[in-house]
């Protein structure tokens, strides 16, 4: 049994490194104090670092992401230190990272008691990221082997594309972490429906964590809404809805953790003894006879 914590992360204005570090540390200490071994924060949670920039700079879309780049090494050190000190696995959300080719990519790291385990880039970009922000797509999927199990990360929009999760499932991933950032209820539900579908199709678990709240000081994170949740395939021994736990409020006034217990052995059991075998039967949909259009 794994104790998980997914954060509805409220976008607060933290104008100094000390304030930010204290904020993130207290948040992680709270979850670890409740027994959580895996902590998930949302997509672009790292952009809260831009609150430390001068007001004019943090209010400019391009200048804000450029301005946080010098803070990245210190941020990575902080996150790694928290994971090690608290003996947890921490996915502290994502943030735009400037690569050697001069392009920004939306990157999420995973830290554990053993240190920095690596990162996963967002692979399919939204219109906002492409058209207004100039964030480039990453390449390739990463599998993370941990003492809790084999994990993967699909950032927000990536959860809406079935083949990405399928590739992770085929690589042995039992739990997908889905950090998300959506500015409308419809956007949240698009990611939620995608995450639940990925859990159903692959008979795995998906943990989602969203940004919440209003941040008029940030052109990137100005409006945020969504529920944290843990999704599993609806089947024998699982909730009939496929939802183990879900936040009550869509947009709380402060950051809140959703706590849940997950038995990956039970998730694997569904693949072998479930009422349906969606994971096993996945290739059947590609049979040409089934795909053929028939004339009435």
């Amino acid at each position: 049994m794994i104790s998980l914590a997914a954060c509805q992360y409220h976008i607060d204005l933290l104008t100094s490194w000390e304030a930010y570090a204290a904020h993130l540390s207290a948040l992680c200490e709270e979850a670890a104090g409740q027994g959580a071994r895996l902590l998930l924060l949302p997509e672009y949670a790292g952009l809260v670092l831009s609150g430390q920039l001068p007001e004019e700079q943090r209010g400019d879309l391009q200048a804000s992401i450029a301005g946080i780049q010098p803070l990245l090494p210190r941020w990575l050190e902080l996150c790694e230190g928290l994971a090690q000190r608290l003996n947890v696995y921490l996915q502290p959300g994502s943030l735009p990272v400037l690569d050697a080719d001069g392009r920004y990519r939306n990157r999420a790291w995973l830290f554990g008691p053993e240190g920095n385990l690596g990162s996963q880039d967002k692979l399919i970009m939204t219109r906002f990221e492409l058209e207004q922000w100039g964030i480039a797509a990453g390449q390739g999927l990463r599998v993370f082997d941990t003492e809790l199990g084999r994990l993967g990360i699909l950032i927000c929009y990536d959860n809406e594309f079935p083949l990405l999760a399928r590739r992770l499932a085929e690589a042995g991933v039992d739990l997908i972490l889905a950090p998300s950032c959506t500015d409308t209820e419809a956007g949240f539900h698009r990611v939620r429906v995608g995450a639940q579908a990925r859990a159903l199709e692959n008979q795995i678990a998906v943990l989602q964590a969203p940004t919440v709240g209003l941040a008029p000081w940030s052109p990137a994170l100005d409006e945020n809404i969504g529920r944290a949740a843990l999704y599993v395939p609806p089947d024998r021994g699982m909730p009939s809805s496929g939802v183990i736990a879900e936040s009550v409020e869509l947009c709380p006034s402060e950051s809140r953790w959703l706590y849940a217990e997950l038995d990956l052995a039970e998730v694997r059991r569904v693949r072998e003894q479930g009422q349906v075998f969606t994971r096993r039967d996945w290739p059947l949909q590609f049979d040409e006879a089934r795909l053929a259009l028939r004339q009435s």
Side-chain angles (χ1 to χ4, degrees):
M1 191 74 71
I2 307 172
S3 296
L4 309 175
C7 192
Q8 281 180 295
Y9 187 66
H10 196 274
I11 304 301
D12 297 323
L13 177 58
L14 303 165
T15 58
S16 70
W17 172 262
E18 291 72 22
Y20 172 80
H23 164 77
L24 183 62
S25 298
L27 197 61
C28 293
E29 288 164 0
E30 176 187 339
Q34 293 297 315
R37 289 296 319 285
L38 190 154
L39 283 55
L40 176 64
L41 274 70
E43 179 185 33
Y44 289 131
L47 267 176
V48 170
L49 291 169
S50 63
Q52 299 171 44
L53 303 174
E55 184 174 354
E56 183 177 348
Q57 187 177 11
R58 68 178 179 241
D60 181 279
L61 190 61
Q62 300 297 332
S64 63
I65 62 172
I68 66 171
Q69 299 307 305
L71 297 173
L72 183 58
R74 200 175 185 184
W75 182 77
L76 292 171
E77 183 180 5
L78 171 64
C79 295
E80 183 174 11
L82 285 169
Q84 293 178 315
R85 177 167 64 85
L86 299 174
N87 193 35
V88 297
Y89 288 92
L90 170 63
Q91 202 297 287
S94 70
L95 75 175
V97 177
L98 182 62
D99 280 332
D101 63 359
R103 306 292 302 277
Y104 288 101
R105 289 178 176 83
N106 184 358
R107 186 161 297 153
W109 275 268
L110 182 66
F111 303 91
E114 59 271 57
N116 188 338
L117 301 181
S119 63
Q120 173 67 58
D121 287 352
K122 190 172 185 177
L123 302 180
I124 302 177
M125 315 313 294
T126 63
R127 290 189 61 191
F128 175 77
E129 288 169 309
L130 281 175
E131 298 172 11
Q132 299 181 47
W133 217 352
I135 306 291
Q139 296 292 327
L141 289 160
R142 177 75 182 268
V143 171
F144 301 89
D145 286 307
T146 76
E147 65 180 50
L148 305 181
R150 182 165 281 189
L151 313 178
I153 301 172
L154 291 179
I155 301 173
C156 200
Y157 194 40
D158 284 350
N159 287 277
E160 299 179 36
F161 297 90
L163 294 184
L164 302 182
R166 182 65 188 185
R167 182 58 56 87
L168 289 175
E170 290 171 345
V173 165
D174 289 314
L175 171 62
I176 289 176
L177 307 181
S180 66
C181 176
T182 49
D183 60 1
T184 65
E185 189 171 350
F188 155 67
H189 280 289
R190 285 194 295 270
V191 181
R192 173 193 171 159
V193 168
Q196 282 202 269
R198 306 299 79 86
L200 167 65
E201 294 159 353
N202 299 293
Q203 295 180 302
I204 58 176
V206 181
L207 183 68
Q208 182 181 2
T211 51
V212 294
L214 300 176
W217 54 271
S218 170
L221 297 172
D222 51 352
E223 297 179 13
N224 306 270
I225 190 170
R227 288 187 172 93
L230 175 60
Y231 309 116
V232 291
D235 210 311
R236 291 193 183 97
M238 298 290 173
S240 58
S241 65
V243 181
I244 287 183
E246 185 177 50
S247 302
V248 175
E249 291 185 58
L250 261 173
C251 195
S253 59
E254 60 184 4
S255 294
R256 291 183 183 173
W257 289 105
L258 174 74
Y259 299 103
E261 299 290 320
L262 176 65
D263 188 339
L264 287 180
E266 282 297 291
V267 176
R268 298 183 193 110
R269 180 194 56 77
V270 167
R271 299 175 203 160
E272 300 173 357
Q273 303 174 20
Q275 294 173 304
V276 295
F277 294 117
T278 50
R279 183 189 182 99
R280 184 201 68 184
D281 294 339
W282 173 271
L284 298 180
Q285 65 187 304
F286 302 111
D287 181 83
E288 288 299 325
R290 290 185 177 86
L291 290 173
L293 295 175
R294 299 178 63 186
Q295 300 297 322
S296 58

